[in-house]
Amino acid sequence: MSVADNTGDLIAGAIGDWEIVIGLETHAQITSSAKLFSGACTDFGAEPNTQVSLVDAAMPGMLPVINQYCVEQAIRTGLGLRAQINLYSVFDRKNYFYPDQPQGYQISQYKNPIVGEGQISLDMPDGQSIVVGIERLHLEQDAGKSLHDQDPDLSFVDLNRAGVALMEIVSRPDMRSATQAQTYMRKLRTVLRYLGSCDGNMEQGSLRADVNVSVRRPGEALGTRCEIKNINSIRFIGQAIEYESRRQISVLEEGGEIVQETRLFDARLGETRPMRTKEEAHDYRYFPDPDLLPLRLDQAWVDDIASNLPELPDDKKERLIADYGLSAYDAGVLITGRALADYYETVAQGRDAKLVANWVTGELSAALNHLNLTIEATPVTADGLGELLDLIADETISGRIAKDIFEKMLESGNSAQKIVDEYGLRQVTDMSVIEAIVDEVIASNPDKVAQVQNKPQMLGWFVGQVMKSSKGKANPQSVNGLLRQKLNISEPSEDA
C-alpha cells in the first residue's frame, strides 16, 4: 500500500463517513552530554538550575557556539530517515514570549533546515505497509520549565533544559488513523534508538509529539487542523486523536466550523481542550540569528557519517528473513529493539532459527514484560537460553519441561543444566518405563478407550495423562507413538 491509496479507517458520522488526516511534529532530544549552544550538562533529574551556563541564562554579551556533535547526530538521523541532507542551513530566531526562555526567542531553523524530505515505512498490525513522508528535520533549542505547583503564591523557573538540543521531525499529513500515528511513533523511536541519536525515553520527555488532526469527507480538500501539544505517550497519542477527530466531526455535523488552534490533551479526562489560537509562521517574525553563521557542511563529512551508520531496522528485517528463514511477523517483532535483535542472533547461531524466534518473541518477551525488564536486564542471557535449547535438541529435556526450567532460570539465574541436575528433570527415554505408564493410563480409562476409536482426536487427552503421570519427563514423541500403537490409531495423513 502506498500513501496515495491510504484511506485508513473511515469514521461513520451521523450524516456520512469521515476521513481523519494526521501529521506529527516530533521533538527528539539529541543524545549529547552538552547543550546545543553551550557546554552545560544535560543529565536528567538534576537539581533545578544546576546545569545552566551564562549562554543558557542569556546574560548580556554571551554568544552561542554550535555543538558539532549535535549537528552530526542530526545528519545521522536524516540519513536514517532516507532524507536529503542540506549542505547549507541557517539558524533563525523564532520570536515569541516564553516565560521560561530568558532569551525571549527560540533559536531554531526555518526556511533552510539541515535535513529535507525523507520517508519512513510502517508495517501495520493488519499486515499492510504504508509509507509516511518526512517533510523536514531541523535543529532547535529547548526552553526551560515553569513550575506552578510548588508554592500557593509563587511560580518558579528551572532552566536546566534551556538550550538542550532538539531535532524537530515533521511528517507529511499522510496518516489516516490513530493506529497509524502510533505505529509511526514506535517506528521513529526504533530508528532513533538504532542510530543512538535519541534515547526515545518518552517518560523523561526525550521524545514527545505535537499531533495535527483534521477531518474531511473522503476525497475532499484538507480540513482545518488543530494541533495537540506535547504528548509524551504513544497511548495518549492514540486517545487524543480519537477524541479530537470525533469532536471535530461533531462540530461540523452540527453546522459549526473548526477553529485553527493549539489544544492540550487531558490524560485524566481523555479529552482535548483549547490552549491558544494557532499562530502562523509570520506571527513569529523569524529572522536569521545574527550570532550564528550559516551552517555549511562538507559532503565528504556527510559521506563519512553515512558509511558508519549501523544496520537500520528495515534492512535488518530483510536480512533476518533472508538469513534465518523467519516470517515477516517474527522478523518485525525482533527488530523493534536493536538489543533484542542482537540477542536473537546470538542465540540463533548454529541452532534452529525458528525455534529460537519462538522462544525469544514468546516465553522470553512475555517474561520480561511481566517483570517490567528490558532485554538488556534479562536474567537469562543469550548463552543461557542457548544452553536450554540445546538440551531440548539433544533430547535431554522435553519442550514441556523446558518451560518449567526457564521459569527457574528467571528466578534463580542458574544455568539450565544445573537446574536439570538439581531437580532431576532429565527426560525419560527408556521405552520400558514409558510403556508401563502408557499401559496404566489405558487400563485405568476403559470408557475413554472405547470413545477414542470413533474420535481419534481424543489421543491428545491420553498424551496429556501420560505426560502428567511422568511429571512431564516422558519423551512426547515416544508417548505419542506408543499410544497410537496400543490404541490402534493410524498416523494422520499429510493431507489431513
Side-chain angles (χ1 to χ4, degrees), residues 350-351 385-396:
R351 299 188 175 93
L385 180 60
E387 182 190 62
L388 176 67
L389 300 186
D390 288 343
L391 293 176
I392 300 175
D394 66 14
E395 299 187 346
T396 299

Side-chain angles (χ1 to χ4, degrees), residues 124-155:
M124 301 305 300
D126 62 4
Q128 298 190 72
S129 296
I130 64 170
V131 176
V132 174
I134 299 296
E135 181 179 300
R136 58 187 277 149
L137 178 159
H138 61 256
L139 282 165
E140 65 183 25
Q141 59 178 178
D142 204 354
K145 181 170 64 176
S146 297
L147 306 170
H148 306 294
D149 57 355
Q150 309 294 305
D151 186 279
D153 301 315
L154 300 173
S155 288

Side-chain angles (χ1 to χ4, degrees), residues 1 120-132 179-188 190-191 312-318 321 327-336:
M1 175 184 276
I120 188 166
S121 299
L122 308 182
D123 295 329
M124 301 305 300
D126 62 4
Q128 298 190 72
S129 296
I130 64 170
V131 176
V132 174
T179 301
Q180 291 184 8
Q182 291 174 304
T183 305
Y184 169 88
M185 278 300 292
R186 290 192 185 95
K187 182 64 175 290
L188 179 60
T190 299
V191 171
L312 294 170
D314 290 344
D315 298 329
K316 188 181 287 290
K317 180 180 177 182
E318 290 183 10
I321 293 172
S327 66
Y329 174 80
D330 283 342
V333 172
L334 290 169
I335 57 98
T336 54

